[in-house]
Amino acid sequence: MVQKQTITYKSDIDAIVAISKRLCIFEERYKQSSEDFFHRYSSGDLDDTVDFVEWSNMYKHFLVIRNKLEKQIVHAA
């Protein structure tokens, strides 16, 4: 059984840096970018292994934070 893990970050910048580092581990392990993986996984081309579910969730989290930071940058400019 996989346990749900909650990680709290001090800021969105800290979060995106930490998540990016974790994404790199999967990218190196599976020799593909997170973007390519996510497209293939979302299309149903890949199984629901523990690694792939974790990678997918982590990438979705990355996209949410990146979008939030991009909006903050646009509003600040």
Side-chain angles (χ1 to χ4, degrees):
M1 183 175 165
V2 177
Q3 292 183 347
K4 187 175 180 178
Q5 182 181 8
T6 302
I7 300 172
T8 305
Y9 302 100
K10 293 180 183 181
S11 70
D12 288 336
I13 297 293
D14 289 342
I16 205 156
V17 168
I19 293 167
S20 294
K21 288 178 182 178
R22 294 178 68 202
L23 289 173
C24 283
I25 293 169
F26 284 112
E27 291 173 346
E28 289 176 10
R29 183 181 300 158
Y30 293 102
K31 308 289 188 239
Q32 62 183 313
S33 71
S34 291
E35 184 177 1
D36 289 344
F37 155 76
F38 190 71
H39 176 72
R40 291 181 63 211
Y41 182 77
S42 298
S43 298
D45 294 339
L46 300 171
D47 294 330
D48 288 334
T49 66
V50 173
D51 271 3
F52 290 169
V53 170
E54 182 180 352
W55 192 0
S56 172
N57 288 334
M58 196 177 312
Y59 187 66
K60 286 189 270 187
H61 191 195
F62 170 85
L63 293 175
V64 167
I65 296 169
R66 185 182 73 183
N67 187 40
K68 183 178 175 184
L69 288 171
E70 287 173 348
K71 285 180 182 178
Q72 289 174 355
I73 289 168
V74 168
H75 286 13

